Amino acid sequence: MKILVVNCGSSSLKYQLFDMKDEKVVAKGQIERIGDDSLMKHETDSYQQAKVSVNVSDHMEAIQTVMDELTDPKRGVISSAAEIRAVGHRVVHGGEKVAGSVSITDEVLAILEECIELAPLHNPANITGIKACQKLMPDTPQVGVFDTAFHQTMHKKAYLYAIPYEYYEKYHVRRYGFHGTSHKFVAQRAARLLKKEDKHKIITCHLGNGSSVTAVRDGNSVDTSLGFGTLAGLPMGTRCGDLDPAVIPYLMDKEDLTIDQISNILYKKSGLLGLSGVSNDLRDIQAEKKAGNKRAEVAIEVFAYAVQKYIGTYAAAMGGVDAVVFTAGIGENAVEVRKMICKDLGFLGAFLDEEKNQLQGEEADISLEKSKVKLFVIPTNEELMIARETKEIGLGTQ
Ligand code: AMP
């Protein structure tokens, strides 16, 4: 049974075709710069194509190009589009009305349209991708898997901001949280490793270019560090993370900034980049730190300290913790950062095994034998999670 997973950005399309028999990826690739000198990369087990120019003016043509590759008589992996049993779409924002993965209907599309205000960069591209797939594969079930949905289990006390209540009622200003598909995937895996699939307290740290921490109790998100938009919580590659809101009007006044200018600073010039002055990429910052750059050193310290504080906060929120999970680019690979984060967690009963912590990019239990709290590295796989949910929702099979 083949399931196609589609992730549409404003000018890009990423895809993976899964064979759900063994959950293997049979083809994957991406098209970048849709509408302007587009480039495509496509690979299967037996065929690897470097980036090549393709003539693609919109998402519809992009999906058609992907289908042509997948069904190519020589190097294709399926004989026709009919072999694709369902299509799963990564969707960024489902607001308060979507609390799980859903089959795409006109009603769901209307909700996605409503949520454009909340995710102006992402939702329009997601909608375009869904409509293109519906047109090209009208008889194939389409399923939406939302970044926000996993966090809809948060209690009001976790998602409300202490501003006048009318702004929640009028404009739906509240914490939504993101990276839900990733948090859910690694929390499920950790629960299995703990042999506590039903009852557990897990803190998942998705640390990548975008980062967030989530408290997961018994399979449900209890709290998460990202909020209304994608700025809150941990400092990220270029995003500021938690900030006293008083800083915003103060800087706008001092530097005579417009809303667009301050947004640009907080979204694109802050975080690891803003602090280090070097890069948004941790590897570059680590190299600079090694060369003696003090700002690079402090940028890494600020990041690790923020993660450490969230772990303490969420352990308190859940009244304990069974496991802490590290995932995404930094979480899976940055040995030094994991060590800094875990350094002071002994009070929780969490002790890092420094030797096991040397492992990079693979699943591992990196805690000492005596550690009451397990420390896990679990590579995330959002596409596989989307494929699994699509199979379950679109085809009604587990
Ligand atoms: P992601 O958004 O999940 O792709 O993660 C990107 C982040 O992971 C970047 O900051 C990278 O520098 C970081 N990263 C990836 N590989 C490594 C590595 N081997 N060591 C340290 N950081 C890494």
Side-chain angles (χ1 to χ4, degrees), residues 228-243:
F228 173 71
T230 52
L231 281 182
L234 304 174
M236 293 168 242
T238 61
R239 289 173 262 164
C240 59
D242 288 340
L243 179 73

Side-chain angles (χ1 to χ4, degrees), residues 159-161 163 167-169 171-176 228:
Y159 72 69
L160 281 182
Y161 294 126
I163 54 176
Y167 298 131
Y168 167 60
E169 292 179 314
Y171 307 122
H172 314 288
V173 174
R174 51 158 285 179
R175 179 186 307 282
Y176 288 99
F228 173 71

Side-chain angles (χ1 to χ4, degrees), residues 345-366:
L345 299 184
F347 78 102
L348 282 175
F351 297 96
L352 183 73
D353 183 325
E354 292 197 21
E355 215 168 285
K356 290 186 193 154
N357 186 44
Q358 297 306 312
L359 285 172
Q360 289 182 292
E362 58 183 280
E363 186 175 292
D365 174 352
I366 54 169

Side-chain angles (χ1 to χ4, degrees), residues 216-231:
V216 182
R217 184 166 52 214
D218 308 339
N220 297 316
S221 172
V222 167
D223 205 344
T224 191
S225 62
L226 277 166
F228 173 71
T230 52
L231 281 182

Side-chain angles (χ1 to χ4, degrees), residues 186 204-212 234 282 286 303 307 324-339 341-342 352 356-364 366 375-380:
V186 297
T204 50
C205 307
H206 176 107
L207 313 178
N209 198 29
S211 295
S212 62
L234 304 174
L282 182 75
Q286 284 177 319
F303 178 78
V307 181
V324 176
V325 182
F326 296 101
T327 194
I330 296 174
E332 290 165 29
N333 297 295
V335 169
E336 175 206 12
V337 175
R338 288 197 303 248
K339 184 174 164 186
I341 295 167
C342 296
L352 183 73
K356 290 186 193 154
N357 186 44
Q358 297 306 312
L359 285 172
Q360 289 182 292
E362 58 183 280
E363 186 175 292
I366 54 169
L375 301 167
F376 291 131
V377 175
I378 300 179
T380 193

Side-chain angles (χ1 to χ4, degrees), residues 85-224:
R85 295 283 308 280
V87 182
H89 296 267
R90 177 181 182 223
V91 185
V92 168
H93 219 306
E96 291 193 297
K97 291 187 180 153
V98 183
S101 301
V102 288
S103 286
I104 301 285
T105 58
D106 288 348
E107 207 184 351
V108 171
L109 276 172
I111 294 172
L112 296 193
E113 300 270 356
E114 271 174 40
C115 292
I116 287 179
E117 256 187 10
L118 300 173
L121 293 181
H122 295 100
N123 270 33
N126 300 154
I127 294 168
T128 310
I130 290 170
K131 288 188 173 165
C133 285
Q134 281 179 325
K135 245 197 183 146
L136 286 173
M137 293 174 264
D139 300 322
T140 309
Q142 312 280 328
V143 173
V145 181
F146 295 74
D147 271 12
T148 50
F150 181 54
H151 302 298
Q152 280 297 307
T153 46
M154 282 188 290
H155 188 277
K156 256 190 169 175
K157 71 182 178 188
Y159 72 69
L160 281 182
Y161 294 126
I163 54 176
Y165 196 76
E166 69 199 71
Y167 298 131
Y168 167 60
E169 292 179 314
K170 273 207 298 213
Y171 307 122
H172 314 288
V173 174
R174 51 158 285 179
R175 179 186 307 282
Y176 288 99
F178 298 88
H179 300 137
T181 310
S182 174
H183 287 293
K184 185 172 178 182
F185 180 83
V186 297
Q188 279 185 353
R189 179 68 191 143
R192 190 157 301 165
L193 292 172
L194 286 169
K195 299 193 175 61
K196 286 184 167 190
E197 294 194 40
D198 298 328
K199 285 242 147 256
H200 50 250
K201 295 169 179 171
I202 298 170
I203 297 173
T204 50
C205 307
H206 176 107
L207 313 178
N209 198 29
S211 295
S212 62
V213 183
T214 296
V216 182
R217 184 166 52 214
D218 308 339
N220 297 316
S221 172
V222 167
D223 205 344
T224 191

Side-chain angles (χ1 to χ4, degrees), residues 40-116:
M40 179 172 194
K41 200 174 153 208
H42 178 79
E43 58 183 278
T44 67
D45 269 353
S46 56
Y47 171 76
Q48 278 219 346
Q49 174 200 58
K51 282 189 184 171
V52 291
S53 271
V54 280
N55 198 2
V56 161
S57 62
D58 56 25
H59 283 79
M60 179 79 87
E61 288 185 17
I63 305 255
Q64 183 62 61
T65 307
V66 171
M67 295 312 298
D68 291 346
E69 270 303 327
L70 294 174
T71 56
D72 184 89
K74 276 199 204 126
R75 51 181 191 263
V77 287
I78 49 175
S79 52
S80 79
E83 269 192 57
I84 297 174
R85 295 283 308 280
V87 182
H89 296 267
R90 177 181 182 223
V91 185
V92 168
H93 219 306
E96 291 193 297
K97 291 187 180 153
V98 183
S101 301
V102 288
S103 286
I104 301 285
T105 58
D106 288 348
E107 207 184 351
V108 171
L109 276 172
I111 294 172
L112 296 193
E113 300 270 356
E114 271 174 40
C115 292
I116 287 179

